[in-house]
Amino acid sequence: MNIRSLRLRLTLWYTCALVLVAFALAGASRWALAVSLDHALDQSLRYRLIGVHSFIDENSHDGLAGITLKLRELDHLGELFQVFGPHGEVVAQSDGLARHHVSTEMPPDPGPGLLFRNAGPPWFPVRMATQRIYVDGLTLTIEVADPRRKFEGVLREFYSALCLALPLVLTMAAFGGYWLSSRALGPVDRIIDEARAIAPSNLAARLSVPASGDELQRLSETLNQLLTRVEQSVQQVRRFTADASHELRTPMTLIYTAAEFALRRERSVDELKESLGKILREAKRCTELINQLLRLAQWDAGSNRIDLVSSDVAALVGDVVNELRLLAVEKGLEVTTSFPESSMWAAVDEVSFRRMLLILLDNAIKYTAGGGRIVVRVTEDEAEMAIAVTDNGPGIPSEDLPFIFDRFWRADKVRSRDAGGTGLGLAIAREIAERHGARLTVESVVGHGTTFTVRLRRGFQKDLRLVGDAAKQNEINV
Ligand code: ADP
């Protein structure tokens, strides 16, 4: 038996609580019984006091000595009493009390009413009722007593009954508690068994959900949701690995083929140069792909920090446009820009922000046919700063738009590959945007063109603009 098991611990807690409650209840019942017995005793003492009082009243005509004499008769009747004179001296004590050496000291002042108290030596405990009476100008204190022993017997019997019954009841309750907690925790064992049976090979399996509406239902549902998330991310990793191997296989095959072609027989210098050129191009593509994969893997692992510093975004965009302008011009594209007059400061990680802009502009150049037009616009309003890259290229079909930010997704694999694409650009761009707290969105109409827009919240920038150049030294982890 597992002594740390929940059902055993529950049973122990439950039994401990029950023992405490049972003992408290036993104590309280004993106290209540004793009080109620004392009450019954007091009631009978009250009547007996009245009797003794009347007896003294009736026999008071011969003074204190006469009363003492008459009280002997009462003693013979077995009454337990004692009477004290005006100065506290014992006038009479019944034989029953004297025999047990009950104290003959003057009792405490009962005042105008009656006084009930426990008295007597330990071997003869009695309940006493005391009253002050006035008889023929004499002040007497009379006391009647009743042995408590008979009631203590009742209490003892009550106690022994409790001592017998309690362990029995507690043992039964403990077994009952164990059975109940076993029943209540039964579904947990089932969840454990089902969860153990789920391996990486059958991640699609789910736990059965009891329709009990309790915590166990919620636990099963939560674990199932967790499994769904795990399954999704495992599938994502598997897809990513398969896509990555597939993407790497093509350039590797081309390199292999080009090298084999060059080595198969004697080649002219030009032929060799052409083969080496092909090998170089594909090696470059491999390197680029591996770099991108590495970057994404680092981000996935959460290890890649980006360091936000206060930067002039307009100037940054201008730099990137100038960098790619030649490429666009070579392809016969017209690139126009539209920036506000003033600088536009924002907190960005320059290296990755520049990479994101390069991806967007490079795509616009890649996918727009010669003679086309690309517009890069930077605007600012109350809430946001927006950088929009618009081209009048082929556009992206609306059914493809939800997928274009997925890793390795490409509308046209061949065209993308011919243009040097890897299918990872937009996934990286979105990741960078999110790491800046920005949004990267796309609008596209087939045949008319595409616009990618990056929106940065101004509040986000302002906070960092406050620290100004000092922020350049600060590394902010996002
Ligand atoms: P790639 O390396 O293939 O360009 P991206 O992730 O950058 O990968 O883009 C994914 C796909 O989105 C591209 O293959 C292309 O089909 C489409 N795409 C991206 N930008 C544009 C654009 N400006 N115009 C038309 N299609 C685009």
Side-chain angles (χ1 to χ4, degrees):
M1 191 190 292
N2 178 7
I3 55 160
R4 297 181 67 125
S5 87
L6 202 55
R7 71 196 61 187
L8 206 66
R9 271 157 51 196
L10 274 177
T11 310
L12 275 178
W13 277 111
Y14 161 79
T15 313
C16 285
L18 211 68
V19 167
L20 284 180
V21 171
F23 276 101
L25 216 65
S29 339
R30 192 203 180 279
W31 175 81
L33 184 64
V35 167
S36 110
L37 288 177
D38 276 348
H39 271 303
L41 218 51
D42 292 351
Q43 197 55 29
S44 97
L45 286 173
R46 199 184 298 270
Y47 290 126
R48 282 170 46 207
L49 262 183
I50 296 171
V52 175
H53 188 179
S54 331
F55 184 82
I56 293 175
D57 259 347
E58 283 162 17
N59 299 290
S60 61
H61 35 80
D62 289 336
L64 203 53
I67 293 172
T68 312
L69 214 60
K70 273 292 176 189
L71 279 172
R72 289 238 176 85
E73 287 174 22
L74 206 57
D75 191 12
H76 290 141
L77 293 175
E79 180 62 276
L80 293 178
F81 66 92
Q82 50 193 13
V83 179
F84 296 89
H87 306 294
E89 73 282 14
V90 185
V91 172
Q93 186 181 39
S94 66
D95 198 35
L97 291 186
R99 213 172 332 121
H100 290 104
H101 307 290
V102 173
S103 165
T104 50
E105 262 177 41
M106 178 71 166
D109 184 4
L114 303 181
L115 171 76
F116 295 98
R117 70 196 167 95
N118 293 330
W123 58 90
F124 189 63
V126 288
R127 183 79 178 158
M128 285 272 197
T130 314
Q131 187 183 17
R132 181 154 299 162
I133 57 170
Y134 303 95
V135 185
D136 274 351
L138 286 171
T139 306
L140 299 177
T141 304
I142 57 174
E143 277 195 314
V144 290
D146 214 338
R148 290 175 56 83
R149 223 170 256 157
K150 53 184 178 186
F151 284 149
E152 266 166 13
V154 175
L155 284 178
R156 234 189 335 269
E157 270 169 31
F158 173 72
Y159 239 161
S160 19
L162 267 187
C163 288
L164 269 180
L166 266 187
L168 207 70
V169 170
L170 286 176
T171 315
M172 278 165 61
F175 276 111
Y178 188 76
W179 179 76
L180 271 180
S181 48
S182 300
R183 252 184 80 90
L185 293 173
V188 175
D189 284 335
R190 188 185 38 72
I191 292 175
I192 293 172
D193 291 342
E194 286 183 5
R196 273 196 187 137
I198 298 176
S201 53
N202 66 338
L203 274 180
R206 292 290 174 272
L207 306 173
S208 47
V209 179
S212 49
D214 57 9
E215 287 82 355
L216 291 174
Q217 181 178 351
R218 275 196 290 135
L219 177 68
S220 311
E221 285 169 351
T222 312
L223 286 175
N224 279 345
Q225 286 160 5
L226 176 73
L227 278 172
T228 305
R229 288 199 294 276
V230 170
E231 187 193 6
Q232 278 169 357
S233 61
V234 168
Q235 270 175 359
Q236 207 176 338
V237 170
R238 281 178 186 161
R239 211 170 32 238
F240 187 63
T241 316
D243 285 345
S245 341
H246 185 77
E247 288 299 326
L248 279 169
R249 204 173 53 189
T250 314
M252 291 313 292
T253 313
L254 288 176
I255 289 174
Y256 181 82
T257 319
E260 204 184 32
F261 170 81
L263 292 172
R264 202 174 296 150
R265 58 181 166 82
E266 276 300 303
R267 301 280 178 198
S268 67
V269 174
D270 285 346
E271 277 177 329
L272 284 176
K273 268 187 182 170
E274 196 188 327
S275 292
L276 281 175
K278 266 187 197 164
I279 290 172
L280 195 64
R281 209 168 39 248
E282 294 305 324
K284 260 189 194 164
R285 182 193 294 278
C286 273
T287 314
E288 172 62 9
L289 185 64
I290 288 166
N291 283 340
Q292 287 181 329
L293 287 174
L294 205 61
R295 199 167 295 134
L296 284 169
Q298 280 173 339
W299 278 340
D300 287 347
S303 63
N304 209 358
R305 291 157 60 98
I306 67 166
D307 302 328
L308 296 181
V309 291
S310 210
S311 318
D312 181 357
V313 172
L316 206 64
V317 176
D319 273 1
V320 173
V321 172
N322 286 337
E323 214 171 294
L324 291 189
R325 194 180 288 277
L326 194 65
L327 194 67
V329 171
E330 271 177 3
K331 203 179 165 187
L333 297 170
E334 184 196 345
V335 181
T336 53
T337 51
S338 157
F339 296 136
E341 301 270 293
S342 58
S343 313
M344 292 171 64
W345 291 93
V348 295
D349 172 67
E350 284 194 13
V351 176
S352 58
F353 205 76
R354 179 186 284 270
R355 184 171 298 130
M356 175 185 69
L357 296 172
L358 273 171
I359 290 170
L360 299 181
L361 202 58
D362 183 54
N363 273 355
I365 296 170
K366 257 189 330 199
Y367 298 110
T368 307
R373 190 161 177 256
I374 296 168
V375 182
V376 181
R377 201 174 283 119
V378 184
T379 52
E380 205 177 14
D381 64 18
E382 279 295 296
E384 295 183 318
M385 175 187 288
I387 305 154
V389 180
T390 305
D391 62 58
N392 63 351
I396 303 165
S398 56
E399 65 272 18
D400 288 343
L401 284 178
F403 310 108
I404 60 164
F405 294 106
D406 289 354
R407 294 173 183 185
F408 293 114
W409 189 90
R410 288 178 286 200
D412 181 340
K413 264 197 183 271
V414 178
R415 204 155 107 221
S416 158
R417 186 162 204 293
D418 288 348
T422 57
L424 288 175
L426 288 178
I428 291 174
R430 174 161 273 187
E431 191 84 33
I432 294 173
E434 281 171 2
R435 276 162 183 264
H436 281 83
R439 275 177 303 136
L440 173 60
T441 54
V442 60
E443 286 161 67
S444 189
V445 179
V446 174
H448 283 86
T450 309
T451 301
F452 283 95
T453 312
V454 183
R455 289 192 174 80
L456 275 164
R457 269 180 289 115
R458 284 185 55 136
F460 181 68
Q461 311 143 21
K462 237 185 227 159
D463 292 342
L464 282 132
R465 206 191 309 168
L466 282 179
V467 278
D469 283 341
K472 286 202 189 255
Q473 274 80 52
N474 286 344
E475 284 191 348
I476 299 150
N477 198 4
V478 291

